[in-house]
Amino acid sequence: MAILNDNMRGALLMMGAMTAYTLNDVFVKLALADIPLFQAILLRGIGAVLFLLVLCHWLGQLRFDLPRAEWWLIALRTAGEVAGTYFFLTALWHMPIANVTAVMQALPLTVSLAAAVFLREPLGWRRLTAILIGFAGVMLIIQPGGSDFSFFSLYALITVACVTLRDLVVRRMSSDVPAVLVALAAAVGVTALGAVGSLFIEMRPVGTWPALYILGATCSLAFGYVFSVTAMRKGEIGFVAPFRYASLVAALILGVVVFGEWPNGWTFLGAAIVVATGIFTLYRETLMRRARHRMVLGRLS
């Protein structure tokens, strides 16, 4: 029997991570039928913080000696995570899960464009063309002015902007900043959002099913994080990253099975365009990264 190489292990782990993240979305969407948004964020956040705190301590990444500049970047990334969580979960509650997930697939495109604009990273005409085509695909998904258009589609777009900010900040962080510590800071920020928001709503008793949904969301989030971090360490980024799109497949299947949501043809077409252009963008970034690496090695030799 053939033994899986590191790239294939990384790909399987990434697919597992994306499926786990999508399961988290499903559990939260189910819980929101019985408890308010901020209460759900608070309860899930408590579990996530405890898990990441233990993981951070176990990996020896619980550090407080980072330079002030790095803490500012962590704070800015956390702000993007907090805002993105609010807009994403609000959109998720009011829209089909596959539609929201499909819009989120534009992230490789928006991050590449933002990196070129704000960080002066090179962006060739091929990737720029792919980004423009990908944005056209996003428009097909949200269908502005169409009968299936929802105001909350704008919330999904705002989520993309927030997560783009989050990922852009990560590019400015030093490689010495522990990844789990960054995730822990984000989890604390999101939990604080739930706590503050809960002060202004009427908290509801948590029944058996909502409690199980929140537990399922917390466990899925934990597995998703562990799998995604392990995946990026196992295989090459250029090979593993495209398997992030497994979340769209999982969202389509779970949307039909759990919620009876079936996207229309335009959504499928838009999602296909966004995925295709996203994979192309990741491919071109991998080529550029390898070229820069060879250039650096050539200068050192």
Side-chain angles (χ1 to χ4, degrees):
M1 185 173 65
I3 299 176
L4 294 175
N5 59 31
D6 284 343
N7 275 345
M8 289 306 300
R9 289 192 189 95
L12 290 173
L13 285 166
M14 182 57 74
M15 288 190 287
M18 294 301 105
T19 301
Y21 285 140
T22 306
L23 279 171
N24 160 70
D25 298 339
V26 169
F27 283 126
V28 171
K29 190 175 175 72
L30 288 169
L32 290 177
D34 295 295
I35 57 177
L37 173 63
F38 288 116
Q39 185 177 358
I41 291 175
L42 174 61
L43 294 176
R44 187 192 66 168
I46 292 172
V49 168
L50 291 175
F51 167 77
L52 288 171
L53 188 61
V54 171
L55 182 63
C56 200
H57 178 72
W58 180 58
L59 294 175
Q61 296 189 9
L62 195 61
R63 294 174 49 193
F64 299 98
D65 58 344
L66 299 175
R68 180 176 298 179
E70 298 296 344
W71 282 115
W72 277 112
L73 290 174
I74 290 174
L76 184 57
R77 183 195 180 279
T78 298
E81 184 83 46
V82 170
T85 297
Y86 170 75
F87 286 108
F88 176 79
L89 292 181
T90 304
L92 182 68
W93 173 229
H94 293 91
M95 292 173 61
I97 185 173
N99 291 47
V100 181
T101 305
V103 173
M104 296 301 297
Q105 305 313 307
L107 275 170
L109 308 176
T110 58
V111 171
S112 292
L113 182 59
V117 173
F118 297 106
L119 302 183
R120 297 290 186 261
E121 293 188 7
L123 182 66
W125 68 269
R126 295 180 182 86
R127 279 193 292 164
L128 181 59
T129 302
I131 289 169
L132 295 175
I133 295 173
F135 287 157
V138 173
M139 290 299 103
L140 288 177
I141 296 169
I142 65 175
Q143 300 164 45
S147 58
D148 291 332
F149 175 73
S150 167
F151 172 79
F152 292 99
S153 297
L154 300 178
Y155 278 53
L157 290 176
I158 295 173
T159 303
V160 171
C162 293
V163 178
T164 300
L165 169 65
R166 182 197 71 183
D167 291 353
L168 210 61
V169 171
V170 170
R171 295 193 180 202
R172 300 300 300 270
M173 286 184 185
S174 167
S175 58
D176 295 331
V177 178
V180 183
L181 178 64
V182 174
L184 175 60
V188 170
V190 172
T191 306
L193 168 69
V196 173
S198 295
L199 297 175
F200 302 95
I201 62 172
E202 182 180 350
M203 301 281 278
R204 297 180 189 172
V206 181
T208 301
W209 281 109
L212 290 175
Y213 294 148
I214 293 296
L215 178 62
T218 304
C219 292
S220 299
L221 201 60
F223 277 111
Y225 183 76
V226 172
F227 286 170
S228 61
V229 170
T230 308
M232 300 308 287
R233 290 179 175 176
K234 282 289 183 182
E236 298 175 8
I237 294 177
F239 184 87
V240 173
F243 287 91
R244 291 179 182 273
Y245 291 107
S247 62
L248 182 56
V249 178
L252 286 168
I253 295 173
L254 291 170
V256 173
V257 173
V258 180
F259 303 107
E261 300 169 345
W262 187 257
N264 61 31
W266 289 113
T267 300
F268 276 112
L269 177 60
I273 292 173
V274 171
V275 169
T277 53
I279 290 176
F280 177 79
T281 300
L282 290 170
Y283 169 72
R284 292 296 303 178
E285 285 189 355
T286 301
L287 293 182
M288 294 292 293
R289 189 181 301 111
R290 288 175 178 172
R292 288 194 295 269
H293 182 65
R294 286 195 297 268
M295 186 180 299
V296 171
L297 290 179
R299 291 174 178 174
L300 293 176
S301 61

